[in-house]
Amino acid sequence: VEEGDLLLSYGRLQSFFSLLQAFGSPVVGVLLDRIGAKNCFVFVFLSSACSYFLLANANSITGLYLSKIPSIFQAAFLVAQALIATNLSDGNASSSSRAAALGRLTTAYTIGASVGPALGGMIGANGDYFFGAKLAATGSLISAALAAFALPDLRIENIRGDEKEPKTSSPIMVGWSIISRPTIWPLLLLKVTSSISNSMLNTALPIFLKQRGFNESAMGWNMSASFVAVAITGAFVVKPLTKMLGPARITWFCLVLKGFVAILLGFVSEKENVIFVAMCSISAACLSHLLATSLTTRTTGAVEYHEQGTLLGIEHSLFSGARIFGPGIGMKLMSFGGFFGVAITCCSIDVALGMTARLFRSKKID
């Protein structure tokens, strides 16, 4: 298989996964209101286990695509995020408290993930690419069992002590009424566009790292270091930074900085700059986390508590939808202009979005 065909196939596989997530996230959001978070956790972890089991037994391109199908409901982070946002959606909760809670969620969620890429990289370096998928399937089954037997009933109305909001409209109409609000749609549009840029860079980055002297083990450790840095950022940086700058300033500040980090990576041409490349990729991961947290803090603060699940389901769906186009565009740009072509495009998008968010920020949103 030629390198160009390999890049395009990888991009298409990533886009297929994102397409599934775009359809599955709103469904999980509805299920959150219908069957409660405990049952949702069990359901999404079992879906993950099925996906990894199929991946462990895949021996063709068709098998790789089939392994992605159960991941349509791989949305445990969405369920946890909705619960946290619901608890902190009343008037007594400040934006910094909501941002801090969402940041701590990311910290908790990435503790295990910080070990996984390094372990997967070491396994891949030894030639066994399927054993890692078997470990992931086992971990998902353990998570499902813990959710089923260790978690209490986490229905939204039980947590808040309120009666559930009566449903007088269909989920589609409720969703449209949320995203069409002037306090919501600009933020969602910003998140979708920045997500396209982010997915372009993230899809091209592993190939770029390989070209700059990273073997499978080094790439795994670099990914783990990024996860650890994001976890530390979520635990210790988000709340004081939000108090100092506010979510709106963090949004445009991170966009502009992320654009400059991308262009710095694009100018790297020497294989000896491994440490510099690693620092830039870790910085990009932290900035992306701060950006996503600031936007989610702003959107969840602009809706009622009983709308949190629907909003976050739509938000995750749009985010996944953006990633449908990003990987393919990123691989196409890399085929013609190398990583520098991807970097300059991402930089242009991010800086333009950042300056637009800075100049046209609405007081009503924040």
Side-chain angles (χ1 to χ4, degrees), residues 36-220:
K38 177 178 181 176
N39 293 324
C40 274
F41 273 130
V42 175
F43 178 59
V44 298
F45 283 133
L46 288 177
S47 298
S48 296
C50 290
S51 177
Y52 291 130
F53 175 78
L54 291 174
L55 178 61
N57 293 277
N59 54 13
S60 65
I61 294 295
T62 302
L64 290 177
Y65 276 91
L66 288 175
S67 71
K68 295 296 184 184
I69 293 177
S71 68
I72 188 172
F73 300 121
Q74 199 172 30
F77 189 77
L78 164 61
V79 178
Q81 207 174 33
L83 286 170
I84 286 179
T86 299
N87 281 326
L88 296 174
S89 62
D90 55 56
N92 295 325
S94 65
S95 60
S96 62
S97 298
R98 191 163 56 255
L102 292 169
R104 288 194 294 270
L105 171 64
T106 302
T107 298
Y109 205 72
T110 54
I111 288 176
S114 64
V115 179
L119 181 59
M122 288 187 289
I123 293 173
N126 292 325
D128 190 349
Y129 294 99
F130 297 104
F131 186 66
K134 295 174 184 177
L135 285 178
T138 303
S140 296
L141 289 175
I142 293 173
S143 297
L146 289 173
F149 298 108
L151 288 181
D153 186 3
L154 298 175
R155 295 177 189 269
I156 290 175
E157 68 270 24
N158 291 342
I159 292 176
R160 294 185 60 92
D162 301 335
E163 291 187 4
K164 208 164 191 174
E165 186 75 9
K167 293 183 174 11
T168 56
S169 302
S170 68
I172 295 177
M173 294 303 298
V174 172
W176 174 251
S177 71
I178 293 174
I179 64 175
S180 61
R181 296 172 191 171
T183 55
I184 298 296
W185 72 260
L187 297 178
L188 293 180
L189 181 61
L190 178 62
K191 191 162 191 175
V192 168
T193 311
S194 63
S195 295
I196 293 176
S197 170
N198 204 45
S199 62
M200 288 166 55
L201 187 66
N202 287 340
T203 304
L205 189 58
I207 300 169
F208 171 75
L209 294 177
K210 187 76 173 177
Q211 293 173 345
R212 293 300 177 268
F214 284 66
N215 57 26
E216 287 86 350
S217 181
M219 290 172 64

Side-chain angles (χ1 to χ4, degrees), residues 258-271:
K258 192 160 71 72
F260 281 116
V261 169
I263 202 64
L264 284 176
L265 282 170
F267 279 113
V268 173
S269 59
E270 298 293 335
K271 291 187 177 181

